[in-house]
Amino acid sequence: MNSLSSASPYRRALDWLYQTQVFGVKLGLDSMFRLSEALGLDLRRPGFLHVAGTNGKGSTCAFLDSIGREAGLNCGLYTSPHLVSFRERIRVGGGCIPEDAVTEGLERIRRMVEWWNPHPTFFEITTALALWWFQERGTEWAILETGLGGRLDATNVVHPMVSVLTAIGMDHQQVLGEKLGQIAREKAGILKRGVGAVSVQQDPEAAQVLVEEAERRGTLIRWVERPWEGGVLGLRGRVQRWNAALAVAALEAAGVRVAPDVLDRGLAEARWPGRFEVFSTDLILDGAHNAPAASVLAQTWGEVFPGEKASLIFGVLADKDVSAVFEALRPIAAEVILVPVRSPRALPVERVRALLLEKDPQIPCRIAASLEEALGKGGSNRRLVCGSLYLVGEALGLLRGELPEWSAQ
């Protein structure tokens, strides 16, 4: 975990923001509504596209943003977490929010909430900053990715043009519930009366809950029944054709018409760093951190590099099902190089090694002192950095020569 210098106003503003992590994760909308009112935010404009789910959220948002920009719209995009720079979370027109805007917005919020009780959380403040910046820049669309769940997520204060549900799986059970149906019910909380909704095909348990919640909330879900069958996509793997089809269906449900050639260009130009990102011929980065995402990663690896095994450079956070993630990745693993994730939430590498060897005592498995050490050694296999978005962010920082702007995210 690096300590941000206080040399610049921007870094001082981030220092304050990261300090608000002591307030933890507090699911609920009261603080967000209060923040929105205090900042004078219009929660019906711009045209919001609200995306929830377990996996595929970021890719679907990237497709929507790319299509909108190809259509000539001034698009806002809000996602989390960031990989290297905090500014990645908030984009307009494809560009990250400037440092001076972060400073101005956070300083305004800091003065406003100084004596609030309860104090807004890190994610609530960041969400408010995003909505403020989109309004300042006069965005026509704003694509919002939920942070955790949906029903009580800070992004759920907006009234969107469409509600979008990506694949729902087991993740964050300690907060959202131990059963898939419970998790699906939380995700379905973004559904709103009279607002169109779209979803990819779901596990039957999750699908049943979504149908029940849609009926209760006064809307209908349009189900995406087949992957996108058009041209080239900017993101790799067959699963991205489902995400692309979901993005296209979302626009149709929102009543947005896009010319076919614009649609094709938008899907082809979409980029999403750290998601099966081929950084070089022998180094691939993917932030898959739960079992469903790891299964998709293994499938995509087989599609892109048929018959090849990978040297996994692997690190995870303590709240993840490490055994399930490794079980999904084991078919493509020639060896595993364990590295520490620079986060207080990281699972110690010795514990990770024990869990992996319980699953497969024969897998070559060693510990590197650091990610830098692991990246510095080549081998006969392509290398795959995976297990955590924070690990991928650290890798990108090292490879770009940038210092990741992290705290205890």
Side-chain angles (χ1 to χ4, degrees):
M1 180 172 66
N2 74 289
S3 176
L4 294 175
S5 165
S6 296
S8 71
Y10 168 69
R11 291 183 180 272
R12 286 198 298 272
L14 282 189
D15 274 337
W16 171 76
L17 177 62
Y18 285 128
Q19 289 167 13
T20 66
Q21 290 171 335
V22 300
F23 301 112
V25 176
K26 298 176 183 175
L27 296 180
L29 302 180
D30 290 347
S31 286
M32 268 307 301
F33 278 119
R34 188 179 179 187
L35 272 170
S36 300
E37 182 178 4
L39 286 168
L41 301 177
D42 186 340
L43 299 178
R44 288 180 173 266
R45 293 184 179 84
F48 292 107
L49 298 95
H50 198 191
V51 182
T54 303
N55 294 307
K57 290 185 297 181
S59 298
T60 302
C61 288
F63 281 129
L64 287 167
D65 178 57
S66 185
I67 293 167
R69 287 188 286 114
E70 285 293 328
L73 296 176
N74 187 25
C75 289
L77 176 64
Y78 177 54
T79 58
S80 60
H82 62 271
L83 296 178
V84 180
S85 172
F86 170 83
R87 299 185 302 114
E88 297 167 18
R89 295 171 180 250
I90 303 168
R91 299 172 185 259
V92 172
C96 297
I97 181 172
E99 289 188 3
D100 58 357
V102 173
T103 304
E104 178 187 349
L106 288 182
E107 179 59 21
R108 180 178 299 191
I109 294 170
R110 185 191 66 78
R111 292 194 304 266
M112 184 184 302
V113 306
E114 187 172 5
W115 303 109
W116 284 16
N117 185 20
H119 195 285
T121 65
F122 176 96
F123 190 70
E124 288 168 341
I125 293 168
T126 305
T127 302
L129 177 68
L131 296 178
W132 168 78
W133 184 238
F134 296 155
Q135 188 163 292
E136 287 287 302
R137 289 296 306 274
T139 55
E140 296 162 274
W141 285 4
I143 301 144
L144 304 182
E145 177 191 17
T146 59
L148 186 63
R151 181 175 64 95
L152 299 176
D153 187 80
T155 60
N156 203 28
V157 294
V158 303
H159 190 84
M161 298 190 296
V162 65
S163 302
V164 185
L165 292 159
T166 68
I168 297 172
M170 301 300 290
D171 200 9
H172 299 295
Q173 293 97 309
Q174 68 277 15
V175 177
L176 302 179
E178 293 294 331
K179 296 182 178 179
L180 188 61
Q182 292 174 307
I183 295 172
R185 202 169 301 279
E186 291 298 317
K187 307 288 186 182
I190 70 167
L191 300 176
K192 293 178 175 61
R193 182 172 300 277
V195 175
V198 293
S199 173
V200 292
Q201 297 295 303
Q202 304 281 0
D203 178 279
E205 182 181 351
Q208 179 180 344
V209 169
L210 295 185
V211 170
E212 292 171 358
E213 286 297 304
E215 182 177 356
R216 189 173 72 83
R217 295 171 181 272
T219 188
L220 292 173
I221 296 176
R222 173 182 170 182
W223 300 92
V224 174
E225 297 180 349
R226 60 181 61 86
W228 179 251
E229 296 172 349
V232 174
L233 298 182
L235 305 180
R236 296 171 183 262
R238 180 167 175 76
V239 69
Q240 297 297 355
R241 293 201 166 269
W242 283 100
N243 293 331
L246 181 62
V248 173
L251 296 180
E252 293 173 354
V256 175
R257 293 188 177 184
V258 179
D261 61 322
V262 171
L263 203 61
D264 287 340
R265 288 199 307 271
L267 294 173
E269 293 298 320
R271 298 292 183 269
W272 198 230
R275 283 68 169 187
F276 210 90
E277 179 178 359
V278 180
F279 190 87
S280 64
T281 55
D282 73 335
L283 181 62
I284 292 84
L285 311 174
D286 193 286
H289 55 271
N290 55 46
S295 295
V296 169
L297 169 55
Q299 175 187 331
T300 303
W301 181 276
E303 293 168 3
V304 179
F305 305 119
E308 291 191 31
K309 297 276 188 174
S311 292
L312 301 187
I313 300 176
F314 190 72
V316 291
L317 300 185
D319 62 348
K320 302 303 177 185
D321 188 342
V322 182
S323 297
V325 170
F326 177 65
E327 181 66 25
L329 294 174
R330 186 166 56 163
I332 66 168
E335 63 172 338
V336 183
I337 304 165
L338 299 176
V339 295
V341 180
R342 294 175 61 189
S343 167
R345 295 165 51 202
L347 190 65
V349 287
E350 294 81 6
R351 179 59 181 151
V352 179
R353 186 175 188 273
L355 290 170
L356 267 53
L357 291 178
E358 281 180 15
K359 278 288 181 183
D360 186 350
Q362 304 304 316
I363 187 78
C365 183
R366 60 185 174 86
I367 294 174
S370 66
L371 176 59
E372 189 171 14
E373 176 189 311
L375 290 174
K377 296 181 179 180
S380 57
N381 303 299
R382 296 183 203 266
R383 295 168 296 166
L384 172 60
V385 178
C386 59
S388 167
L389 278 170
Y390 301 113
L391 183 66
V392 167
E394 184 183 349
L396 280 173
L398 286 169
L399 293 164
R400 296 175 184 172
E402 301 176 30
L403 191 64
E405 295 172 349
W406 293 342
S407 184
Q409 296 181 59

